[in-house]
Structure formats: C-alpha cells, structure tokens
Amino acid sequence: MRSMKSYSHFMNKISSEDIFEGLLGHGLFSEKLPPIFSSESFYKYCRENPKAFPEDRACPYVFYESMRNTNVPRQLGIPNPMAYQQLCRCISANWSKIQNHFEKATCNDTHIVSRIHLRKMNNTKILYRMNYDNWKTDGNPIQDLLIGHRYVVHADIATCFPSIYTHTIPWALVGKETAKKNTHCRGKNKTWYNEIDLYARNCRNNETHGILIGPHASNLISEIILTCIDSELTPKWKYIRHIDDYTCYVTTHDEAQRFLAELSDELRKYDLLLNHKKTLISELPQATAEEWLHKIGHPALYYNNGILDFIGARSYLEHAIEVMQESGKNSAVLNYAIKALPYDKTSANARDYCIKTAFHLCLLYPYLLQIMDEFVFERFKVQRDEIKRLADLAYEWNKEAKNYDGVCYSIFFALKHKFQLGKIKAQDAIDSDSCVFRLLAFLYFAINKDVAEKTRLKDFALKLSGNDDDFGRNWLFVYEALPAKELSEEWQKIKVAGVSFLKNDYLV
C-alpha cells in the first residue's frame, strides 16, 4: 500500500523562503479569529530589516477564546510578532535540517500517517489549513487499513499543544542526550535545535510548558515531535493521525490494548499523556467517517423535482438538529448542514427558512457564528437589516455570557456590512479583558466617527502601554489604537514604516 505522495514530498516542496513567508506573513493569526487580520506588511518589514529586533526576548502574548463545536472554548494565542518572527526566522534558517528530520521520521511509512500538515497549496502562500483535504495527492488509506482487521482504536493526546514541553523539540530533532548536553551553548557554539526551543519559549513569555494554539509555527513544532513518535509505532501498527487524534486498525481486542499501551509509552518519552476519557475500542465494521456524517446525508436527498423547497429544507434541517442532539449536542453537525445548503437550487421560501433557522441556531450555538458570513449572509444574499438584527442579538447574548468570541464576530459583521450595533459601548470592551474585543470596538467607533467612545478606548490603550505586561497581553489593540509617538522605540519604527496587522478594508 503506497499513497500517491509521501509526507516528505510535501515538506520538500516548501523552500526556506516559503516557510518564512508562510509562517510569518500568513500564519501569525488563527483562522478561527474574525477575518480582519493580516501580518503581510510585518513580514515585508522583517524581510527588508532582518536585524531590526533583539534576538532573545521573552514576551507575553494575546489570549483569545474561540468557541468549539462542543460549546467549550478553545484557548488560542497571538504571539508578540517580534518574538514570533525570531522563531520563524530560525525555522527558515534551519529548514533543510528540519526537512531531513521529516524524511528520516517518515521514510518507512506505507501511507501518509499524519493527515493534517503544512504544504504548498494552489493560489495561496498560506501553508496550513485545519480542514484541508485532497485525496488526489494524499491518497485515502483507510480502506486498505481496514482489510484484515476486526477492531478500530480511537485515541488522542490530552491537551496536546498546551502540554508540549518545549525542551522536547530538540529531543525529537537530535535525541535527548545530544540536546541536553548542548543546552547551555551560547554565542558561536549555540545549537540550532536548542534555538528553536528558546524562540518557542519566548513566544510564551519564557514558559517551557505549552506552545500557542493558533500560529502555524506551532503546528510545525507539533509535527516535529509527533512524527518522531510515529516513526517508533508505524513499523508495528496501522493507523492514521489527525494532529493529535489517532485511529488504529487491529485484529484483536488484546492488540488494541497493546497499541494504547505502546502509544502511551512513546508519548511519555516526550512528556505527553493519552486522554483516557476519549479512548475507545470498537468492533468493525463501522462507518469509516463520523457516524453523524452518514446519518445526516446531503440536502439533495430532500430535493423535489430538482429543487430544495420549503418542505425539503425544513425536513433536512430538522433532521440535522435531531442528529446533533443524538451526537451529544455536537454543533459540528449543524456546521456541516449549514455549509451544505445550496443557493441556486433552493426555492425562495426555502431560502427564507434556511436563513431564519441558521440565525436561530447560531444564537444557541455561538460556534456557528464563525461560518455565518460566508455560508449564510453571502450565499443567500441576506439583507443588511437582517444581518444587523442578528448581530444586535448576538452581541447582547454573548456579552452577557462573557463569550467574547461571539461578541467579536458580531462587531465584525457590523464592520464588514457597514451598520451600527444597538448597544455597544466602549466600557464593555474595557471591562472584558479581551484584547481582540477592545480592538474591534475601537475600529467600530473609529469607523462610525464616535469620537467620545473612540477616545475612551484610546485613553485605555495609552494606560495599558505604560506597563510591559499589560502591553504584552494587549499589544494588538494598543499598537493599532495609538499613534507612533505614543509607542516604544521598536514599535514606533514599524508604525512609522506603515506596518499594520489589519487587512486594508479595516484600516482606520
């Protein structure tokens, strides 16, 4: 069994210049954030000024909670860009060595074990997408892995990224003994693998436990470690891995238990643990994808004479809600159902029903707010007044629940579609302890020429700038809100150079 392309093939297609631009210019911000951010101008500045910032600097980071499909937030981080660019530059400078690591760790694989990884993609310089899947180039090994096996094992790593001990990065790259022997080398004798450890720590204010969820360099770092673990397991076990989720196919229940024991042993070598609450051994046959995906079907099954009419749309979405309830209120079911809704083959009444149902569901399950703009507002050409009505409700509901991800998306809708929110106040953002909420509120009041509220936020940004820790945890808001003269020297330089971390449509 051999896939069309190998893991190292994808890594070797990326040049050192590609990896620097991809990680820094297009990988600073998580795709889960409201899509107003960009680090392209900062990347261009760093490329033109390679020695603009001190090399060894530990910095606080911006904390952001993004709602997950389980209605439990995921803790994302936006690193200090100057610390992050040092990590990206170090990775780029040593890219050929990292490529060799991946070649060595995966050379004996009969299929691509890790299904989500960095790669070059068509028409974009982005190197990483969570949901990217291309069976034509990656192959689909599951059917081959099933043959001759009676059981499937599902397992994942407990809090993977927050649990990664940065010192294990060099352990994976060159071995624990070599890495530890050279830990204290400095100056001309400093080692590239321990430098990656150092710069990864600096992105989390010199913390050794945990890497940030969100920046694409973190996904590369996790792969450095997890492919090393794969290299120990793949000679004996047939499995695939989606980041930290393992699916292994075995012949007996005893083999399933042995796989879990061996996986646990290999993880512990890197100070990682299995999440025993999510460990499951099931007898085959069973659906090879999520069970709910098969239950829900596609809207085309509900067409009447080639059209999704009102009755079909209602049946499809009511069925999706039932499947969601049966799946432990997993709102990924609703996410899939909404994304699958067609426009060109939907009657006017069905479109109206789909819009109103999506509005209702995203208020109950704020995770869905992340897809509303692309898959509901744009697809169904929703009127501005209707979007405003939803945004007003979403702002109020999520502010009361202190779900600032939902609040931020509400403001994003107002910014993009150019309407005013009913009850937004600067004090809401100031009281929130959310950097991204504060920035979005500042942009909102600036664009709507509300001088008083904008000034309140600007004054608060000035206050935060007076304390290094406060500034570090709010750098994105403070930098964008204040003029160059109010910023410290290095931030002042990039501000004068015209660097912004906002897309052009949101500059004020």
Side-chain angles (χ1 to χ4, degrees):
M1 175 176 58
R2 174 68 63 174
S3 64
M4 296 175 67
K5 298 279 194 292
S6 67
Y7 187 98
S8 60
H9 165 86
F10 290 105
M11 292 300 169
N12 291 338
K13 292 281 284 185
I14 303 170
S15 69
S16 60
E17 293 81 9
D18 293 333
I19 198 73
F20 185 58
E21 183 173 6
L23 295 182
L24 183 59
H26 305 275
L28 175 63
F29 298 103
S30 167
E31 61 192 50
K32 295 296 183 180
L33 289 161
I36 70 168
F37 301 108
S38 170
S39 54
E40 287 186 67
S41 66
F42 180 70
Y43 157 73
K44 290 174 183 175
Y45 181 89
C46 293
R47 188 183 60 191
E48 295 165 4
N49 302 274
K51 296 186 181 298
F53 311 114
E55 286 195 10
D56 187 357
R57 54 181 309 140
C59 301
Y61 59 93
V62 171
F63 176 83
Y64 183 85
E65 288 191 326
S66 173
M67 193 58 68
R68 293 188 291 183
N69 59 299
T70 55
N71 263 16
V72 175
R74 174 182 281 110
Q75 298 178 348
L76 305 179
I78 307 172
N80 175 294
M82 299 169 193
Y84 183 66
Q85 69 90 26
Q86 293 291 355
L87 174 61
C88 297
R89 193 176 295 283
C90 184
I91 289 170
S92 174
N94 298 286
W95 183 235
S96 62
K97 298 168 187 171
I98 297 170
Q99 288 173 315
N100 288 338
H101 164 79
F102 286 127
E103 173 72 37
K104 182 179 177 182
T106 64
C107 63
N108 294 319
D109 292 352
T110 57
H111 60 282
I112 298 178
V113 174
S114 175
R115 310 304 294 176
I116 302 175
H117 54 79
L118 273 69
R119 67 177 73 215
K120 295 193 79 168
M121 291 177 272
N122 292 331
N123 305 316
T124 182
K125 293 181 178 180
I126 297 171
L127 295 177
Y128 183 82
R129 282 203 178 106
M130 270 287 295
N131 297 319
Y132 186 87
D133 185 22
N134 188 338
W135 63 269
K136 290 183 179 179
T137 56
D138 293 10
N140 185 2
I142 293 177
Q143 291 304 313
D144 288 314
L145 296 177
L146 281 169
I147 297 172
H149 296 119
R150 294 180 181 273
Y151 294 89
V152 59
V153 187
H154 295 284
D156 74 4
I157 301 170
T159 58
C160 182
F161 281 30
S163 296
I164 287 177
Y165 181 46
T166 64
H167 292 340
T168 64
I169 303 167
W171 297 359
L173 287 167
V174 297
K176 188 174 182 178
E177 184 177 342
T178 300
K180 294 189 83 165
K181 184 172 67 175
N182 296 303
T183 297
H184 301 294
C185 293
R186 293 290 183 268
K188 292 182 180 179
N189 295 320
K190 64 185 178 182
T191 54
W192 66 276
Y193 41 88
N194 283 319
E195 275 195 300
I196 295 176
D197 171 11
L198 170 66
Y199 295 135
R201 293 200 313 270
N202 285 349
C203 288
R204 274 182 58 93
N205 208 16
N206 202 31
E207 295 177 23
T208 57
H209 276 89
I211 58 174
L212 297 179
I213 300 173
H216 292 179
S218 294
N219 300 96
L220 178 67
I221 287 170
S222 71
E223 284 295 289
I224 288 172
I225 296 167
L226 297 182
T227 54
C228 215
I229 293 169
D230 290 339
S231 70
E232 298 297 322
L233 294 173
T234 52
K236 289 181 63 176
W237 304 103
K238 301 299 182 185
Y239 68 89
I240 58 173
R241 174 172 57 80
H242 289 84
I243 306 178
D244 62 340
D245 291 327
Y246 294 79
T247 304
C248 182
Y249 300 90
V250 296
T251 305
T252 67
H253 198 278
D254 285 346
E255 280 189 352
Q257 295 286 6
R258 286 202 300 276
F259 168 73
L260 290 171
E262 291 188 21
L263 173 59
S264 183
D265 287 345
E266 293 301 326
L267 290 173
R268 278 200 297 271
K269 291 178 183 178
Y270 294 90
D271 285 3
L272 297 170
L273 298 173
L274 270 182
N275 182 353
H276 292 288
K277 291 181 180 178
K278 290 190 176 180
T279 298
L280 180 66
I281 301 171
S282 303
E283 191 168 2
L284 295 168
Q286 66 169 204
T288 56
E290 292 274 11
E291 187 178 354
W292 59 260
L293 198 58
H294 293 272
K295 286 184 178 179
I296 194 173
H298 189 274
L301 299 173
Y302 297 83
Y303 284 4
N304 181 17
N305 294 323
I307 292 291
L308 185 68
D309 60 16
F310 175 83
I311 294 174
R314 184 177 64 185
S315 298
Y316 173 66
L317 288 174
E318 285 181 351
H319 178 57
I321 292 168
E322 289 174 3
V323 174
M324 183 269 298
Q325 297 282 4
E326 293 171 0
S327 303
K329 293 192 175 180
N330 179 1
S331 51
V333 177
L334 302 178
N335 181 296
Y336 173 85
I338 291 170
K339 285 182 175 181
L341 290 168
Y343 173 79
D344 55 345
K345 294 184 177 180
T346 308
S347 70
N349 286 338
R351 282 198 292 272
D352 187 57
Y353 178 82
C354 290
I355 292 166
K356 290 178 179 177
T357 301
F359 281 18
H360 167 63
L361 292 172
C362 76
L363 290 171
L364 297 177
Y365 304 98
Y367 165 72
L368 300 175
L369 286 167
Q370 299 170 13
I371 66 165
M372 290 299 289
D373 190 62
E374 180 179 357
F375 293 98
V376 179
F377 302 163
E378 292 185 5
R379 179 174 291 178
F380 292 102
K381 299 177 174 56
V382 179
Q383 295 297 308
R384 184 186 301 172
D385 287 349
E386 294 181 74
I387 301 173
K388 171 179 165 49
R389 193 175 303 116
L390 172 67
D392 280 334
L393 281 170
Y395 181 89
E396 281 296 298
W397 285 32
N398 287 288
K399 180 173 73 73
E400 289 301 313
K402 295 188 177 181
N403 170 25
Y404 298 121
D405 184 39
V407 169
C408 289
Y409 270 92
S410 304
I411 303 173
F412 161 65
F413 299 153
L415 292 172
K416 180 174 179 179
H417 298 282
K418 298 178 171 56
F419 58 79
Q420 294 188 357
L421 290 167
K423 297 184 179 180
I424 184 173
K425 296 178 182 177
Q427 197 62 44
D428 295 341
I430 291 169
D431 292 342
S432 71
D433 198 30
S434 168
C435 170
V436 177
F437 181 10
R438 289 165 178 168
L439 174 56
L440 282 161
F442 175 81
L443 298 176
Y444 172 86
F445 291 121
I447 287 170
N448 285 286
K449 296 180 170 53
D450 189 327
V451 176
E453 294 291 83
K454 175 188 173 185
T455 300
R456 286 189 181 91
L457 282 160
K458 187 175 177 180
D459 289 346
F460 184 65
L462 190 60
K463 179 182 176 182
L464 292 173
S465 71
N467 178 282
D468 288 344
D469 191 57
D470 287 341
F471 176 84
R473 291 184 292 107
N474 291 274
W475 69 263
L476 185 57
F477 161 57
V478 177
Y479 176 79
E480 296 294 344
L482 295 182
K485 65 180 181 180
E486 301 291 357
L487 297 169
S488 63
E489 184 178 354
E490 56 195 14
W491 292 94
Q492 190 176 107
K493 285 180 180 178
I494 66 171
K495 188 90 174 189
V496 169
V499 171
S500 175
F501 295 91
L502 299 169
K503 292 179 180 176
N504 290 336
D505 289 346
Y506 301 95
L507 292 173
V508 294

